[in-house]
């Protein structure tokens, strides 16, 4: 789309005078289809209702969430197509805030003041690059990952000035497909071509995927030593330490990272959790207060942040401040499904600390009851709830919660942690019984789905398996079984958009949960074969 008159832009700016000025600049550039957002919230709602080619966002959005966490939400929740251009506008020259925005990879950023000509130059540059990658982006948005790989190869020939970018994207696509060896080869080539930090980071990621943690750790350690402002390297180094059980080291890495870049909410959230796990209550309190403050105005705010902060305050012995946080939780998080469970768990922590056993029992019962609905409570919080139930002699409630964790366990490590709740209480035999029950449930469910398919009830099989995937969205085996049921339905009854879309969504979820799963490649191949059989061709954008 080279005609700027066809560009649809979203201008996010809280001050009316500056909004008018930026609107006029966009008009001078030839961009006339402009929507306005005055806050992060209004911007998110606009993005969810329309597709924009360009987002021009002020960093300092005043009260509430500002531009950096808005960008973080947009990227994390994939609210825009890959082709959407995001330009951050800011007068903030302090390094910490600029680097926080820059590490989240906006297309560009502009420091005020600037002219209409400067804005036009940045927009045209971004559009030129977007045009080169449009075919790949379109294929990826449609779920045609293999075809997107082929388009990258073509793009390398058609746009040699973007060779490195196409190779980098090709490596990332191999990662999406779970093809760590192919991705590793590309990252090695990229590193040999040009000593760039992200090539080493990509190589470390592929090693991590293959469970080669020591090799990944060595690369990542050298990366942060060479460039102490490369934030993604800190995150992956911390993640690698955590994977091998070195939690103090994982926390130490993030301690350093937040000094360099103190505004990324997800990094702060992770540091708060690690601080709690390693017993650093002072750091946990300080960091989680920042998380609660920064995330409060996000459209994707999470009540679990308040629970972690209450946990830190209770461990510190600051009951009054813990009560204040619980009141804020009720007030600021109303309307979110898991708020009641989070409130009850927080209150139970407080009552356990003050020794009010009657109220503790009451709140634990309320938390278990609230958790029976599909509210999306994290496995970590469920494990803590189960532990509290056991300590309060409610074995039945603990078993109920642990059973749910085991059904939704993303990997064996989570099953082991769930089992550990009973083992630490001297009741390992109960945990083992729950493991066997959860495994039998999955086998019986798969058998029932297969039986329905054998009887010709393919849609019944899809309904059964997709319902199970909704209840266990973090269990890759359950999600893959649901994807396979959807594909078998298409194979026998023909393609329909709803089932095809469901299959695509389930495959993407499974790839996110377990990219190296041995079944994933075969299921992706079947999906591709069915698309071709039923004429669901990728929409290709001709390279020019």
């Amino acid at each position: 789309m080279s005609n700027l008159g066809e560009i649809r832009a979203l201008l996010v700016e809280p001050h009316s005078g500056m909004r008018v000025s930026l609107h006029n600049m966009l008009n001078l550039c030839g961009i006339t289809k402009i929507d306005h957002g005055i806050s992060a919230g209004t911007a998110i709602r606009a993005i969810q209702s329309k597709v924009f080619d360009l987002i021009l966002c002020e960093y300092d959005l005043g009260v509430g969430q500002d531009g950096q966490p808005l960008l973080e939400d947009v990227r994390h929740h994939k609210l825009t197509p890959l082709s959407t251009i995001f330009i951050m506008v800011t007068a903030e020259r302090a390094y910490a805030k600029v680097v926080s925005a820059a590490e989240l990879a906006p297309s560009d950023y502009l420091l005020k003041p600037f002219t209409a000509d400067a804005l036009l130059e940045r927009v045209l540059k971004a559009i030129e690059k977007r045009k080169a990658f449009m075919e790949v982006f379109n294929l990826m948005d449609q779920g045609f990952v293999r075809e997107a790989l082929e388009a990258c190869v073509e793009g390398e020939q058609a746009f040699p000035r973007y060779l490195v970018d196409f190779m980098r994207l090709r490596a990332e696509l191999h990662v999406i497909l779970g093809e760590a060896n192919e991705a590793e080869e590309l990252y090695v080539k990229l590193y040999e071509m040009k000593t760039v930090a992200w090539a080493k980071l990509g190589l470390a990621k592929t090693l991590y995927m293959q469970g080669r943690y020591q090799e990944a750790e060595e690369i990542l350690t050298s990366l942060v030593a060479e460039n102490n402002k490369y934030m993604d390297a800190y995150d992956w180094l911390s993640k690698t330490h955590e994977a091998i059980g070195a939690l103090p080291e994982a926390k130490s890495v993030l301690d350093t990272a937040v000094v360099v870049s103190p505004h990324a909410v997800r990094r702060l959230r992770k540091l708060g959790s690690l601080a709690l796990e390693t017993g650093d209550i002072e750091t946990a309190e300080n960091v989680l207060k920042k998380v609660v403050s920064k995330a409060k105005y996000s459209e994707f705010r999470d009540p679990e942040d308040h629970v972690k902060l209450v946990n830190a305050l209770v461990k510190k012995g600051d009951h009054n401040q813990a009560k204040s946080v619980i009141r804020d939780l009720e007030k600021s998080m109303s309307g979110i499904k898991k708020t009641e469970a989070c409130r009850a768990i927080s209150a139970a922590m407080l009552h356990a600390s003050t020794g009010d056993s009657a109220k503790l029992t009451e709140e634990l019962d309320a938390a278990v009851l609230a958790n029976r609905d599909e509210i999306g409570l994290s496995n970590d919080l469920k494990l803590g709830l189960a532990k509290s139930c056991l300590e309060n002699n409610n074995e039945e409630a603990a078993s109920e919660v642990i059973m749910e964790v085991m059904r939704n366990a993303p990997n064996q490590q989570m099953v082991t942690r769930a089992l550990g709740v009973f083992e630490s209480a001297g009741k390992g035999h109960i945990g083992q019984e729950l493991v066997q029950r959860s495994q039998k449930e999955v086998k019986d469910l798969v058998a029932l789905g297969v039986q329905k398919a054998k009887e010709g009830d393919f849609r019944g099989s899809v309904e059964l398996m997709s319902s199970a995937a909704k209840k266990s969205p973090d269990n890759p085996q359950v999600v893959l079984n649901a994807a396979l049921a959807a594909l078998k339905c298409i194979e026998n009854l023909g393609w329909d958009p709803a089932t095809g879309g469901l299959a695509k969504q389930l495959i993407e979820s499974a790839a996110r949960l377990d990219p190296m799963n041995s079944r994933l490649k075969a299921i992706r191949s079947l999906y591709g074969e069915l698309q071709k059989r039923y004429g669901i061709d990728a929409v290709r954008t001709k390279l020019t």
Side-chain angles (χ1 to χ4, degrees):
M1 185 184 295
S2 57
N3 181 2
L4 294 183
E6 294 301 312
I7 293 286
R8 179 173 289 281
L10 174 63
L11 173 57
V12 188
E13 166 58 61
H15 303 293
S16 59
M18 183 57 69
R19 211 162 46 242
V20 170
S21 177
L22 288 172
H23 189 115
N24 290 338
M25 281 190 185
L26 289 172
N27 285 163
L28 289 171
C29 293
I31 299 173
T32 57
K33 297 179 179 178
I34 306 169
D35 285 26
H36 290 179
I38 62 173
S39 66
T42 58
I44 290 290
R45 289 189 285 276
I47 291 167
Q48 289 175 323
S49 63
K50 291 182 182 179
V51 175
F52 293 98
D53 304 293
L54 169 67
I55 299 173
L56 191 64
C57 180
E58 165 62 41
Y59 183 92
D60 184 2
L61 295 178
V63 177
Q65 200 179 26
D66 56 26
Q68 184 264 327
L70 169 61
L71 173 60
E72 189 174 339
D73 281 342
V74 169
R75 295 283 193 243
H76 183 77
H77 296 283
K78 299 179 180 178
L79 302 182
T80 61
L82 292 167
S83 57
T84 297
I85 298 165
F86 195 113
I87 296 179
M88 191 79 74
V89 178
T90 180
E92 177 57 67
R93 294 180 180 273
Y95 172 74
K97 290 189 176 181
V98 172
V99 72
S100 287
E103 73 187 76
L104 286 161
S107 307
D108 209 339
Y109 61 92
L110 283 167
L111 288 179
K112 294 187 289 188
F114 55 86
T115 64
D117 286 341
L119 176 59
L120 177 60
E121 180 185 351
R122 298 295 179 88
V123 170
L124 288 175
K125 180 182 176 183
I127 289 175
E128 180 186 13
K129 186 171 184 179
R130 184 181 81 150
K131 184 179 179 182
F133 287 85
M134 185 63 84
E135 178 180 21
V136 180
F137 289 157
N138 284 342
L139 290 168
M140 290 174 68
D141 284 335
Q142 295 175 72
F144 290 92
V145 183
R146 189 67 62 187
E147 289 81 356
L149 267 171
E150 296 169 3
C152 281
V153 176
E154 295 171 12
E156 290 168 19
Q157 301 299 317
F159 301 97
R161 63 190 178 279
Y162 299 129
L163 172 65
V164 170
D165 296 286
F166 275 112
M167 290 180 69
R168 178 182 185 177
L169 185 53
R170 190 149 54 99
E172 291 172 358
L173 290 169
H174 279 302
V175 169
I176 290 172
L177 290 169
E179 297 170 351
N181 291 331
E182 291 85 344
E184 181 182 353
E185 288 178 14
L186 271 170
Y187 281 123
V188 169
K189 285 181 183 178
L190 284 162
Y191 181 59
E192 290 172 349
M193 287 169 55
K194 186 179 180 182
T195 306
V196 286
W198 56 257
K200 290 179 72 174
L201 177 64
L203 178 57
K205 287 180 183 179
T206 62
L207 294 170
Y208 180 94
M209 286 175 64
Q210 297 170 73
R212 293 157 62 183
Y213 300 125
Q214 185 173 351
E215 294 172 74
E217 181 185 348
E218 290 173 1
I219 292 174
L220 292 164
T221 300
S222 71
L223 258 180
V224 296
E226 293 164 8
N227 182 354
N228 67 355
K229 298 178 177 64
Y230 194 17
M231 307 316 301
D232 283 348
Y234 285 103
D235 293 335
W236 276 92
L237 179 55
S238 176
K239 187 175 180 179
T240 303
H241 283 312
E242 189 176 7
I244 59 178
L247 297 188
E249 290 81 358
K251 173 189 164 293
S252 178
V253 169
L254 293 188
D255 278 331
T256 304
V258 299
V259 171
V260 180
S261 174
H263 299 287
V265 173
R266 285 177 179 80
R267 183 178 302 117
L268 289 167
R269 182 178 284 137
K270 185 62 183 177
L271 175 56
S273 296
L274 285 171
L276 277 174
E277 288 188 72
T278 55
D280 186 349
I281 303 306
E282 182 179 356
T283 295
E285 178 189 357
N286 292 336
V287 169
L288 290 168
K289 280 180 177 177
K290 292 177 183 176
V291 172
V292 167
S293 175
K294 289 175 179 292
K296 185 182 297 186
Y297 299 98
S298 170
E299 293 292 301
F300 305 98
R301 59 196 183 278
D302 190 344
E304 293 195 20
D305 294 332
H306 283 74
V307 181
K308 293 174 185 175
L309 178 54
V310 169
N311 191 5
L313 292 168
V314 166
K315 287 181 176 179
K316 180 185 175 184
D318 192 341
H319 296 155
N320 288 334
Q321 199 171 172
K323 290 177 183 177
S324 177
V325 173
I326 294 171
R327 287 194 295 271
D328 182 68
L329 165 61
E330 291 181 277
K331 180 180 177 181
S332 64
M333 298 288 164
S334 62
I336 297 176
K337 285 183 179 180
K338 58 181 172 179
T339 294
E340 170 53 23
C342 287
R343 182 211 62 77
I345 291 170
S346 298
M349 290 177 182
L350 180 62
H351 297 315
S353 181
T354 59
D356 191 333
S357 57
K359 288 185 177 179
L360 168 60
T361 300
E362 181 182 331
E363 294 294 3
L364 287 175
D365 289 346
V368 172
L369 180 62
N371 186 54
R372 286 175 184 160
D373 296 326
E374 293 175 18
I375 59 174
L377 208 62
S378 71
N379 279 333
D380 283 341
L381 218 55
K382 290 174 187 174
L383 290 178
L385 173 60
K387 186 172 182 291
S388 296
C389 289
L390 268 184
E391 290 170 350
N392 205 42
N393 299 316
N394 194 339
E395 190 177 289
E396 183 180 350
S399 297
E400 176 186 330
V401 176
I402 288 295
M403 188 66 179
E404 186 179 342
V405 172
M406 290 180 175
R407 289 191 192 106
N408 194 33
N411 49 45
Q412 186 57 42
Q413 287 85 351
M414 182 57 71
V415 174
T416 302
R417 286 181 61 195
L419 182 59
V421 171
F422 280 95
E423 288 178 338
S424 62
K427 300 181 178 181
H429 64 286
I430 298 176
Q432 290 292 351
E433 289 174 7
L434 294 176
V435 170
Q436 293 171 7
R437 270 179 55 195
S438 65
Q439 291 173 342
K440 185 176 184 300
E441 276 189 10
V442 172
K443 289 179 182 177
D444 290 347
L445 184 67
V446 172
L448 182 56
V450 170
Q451 184 61 36
K452 283 182 176 290
K454 283 182 178 179
E455 294 170 354
D457 186 8
F458 295 103
R459 299 205 182 280
S461 177
V462 172
E463 184 178 347
L464 176 72
M465 299 307 296
S466 61
S467 176
K470 285 181 181 178
K471 292 179 180 177
S472 302
D474 292 332
N475 187 320
Q477 296 304 330
V478 172
V479 174
L480 280 171
N481 286 333
L484 186 58
L487 294 176
K488 289 297 182 182
C489 180
I490 292 171
E491 189 174 33
N492 287 274
L493 301 182
W495 188 279
D496 70 89
T499 309
L502 175 63
K504 175 176 178 286
Q505 175 191 336
L506 290 166
I507 291 170
E508 289 176 350
S509 295
R512 174 181 54 81
L513 293 167
D514 188 4
M516 297 296 288
N517 191 290
S518 58
R519 301 172 60 202
L520 188 58
K521 189 171 184 178
I523 288 176
R524 277 194 187 277
S525 296
L526 178 57
Y527 178 66
E529 289 170 12
L530 292 173
Q531 285 179 309
K532 291 176 182 177
R533 181 189 302 180
Y534 292 105
I536 312 300
D537 296 322
V539 177
R540 302 292 295 262
T541 305
K542 187 176 179 181
L543 292 170
T544 55

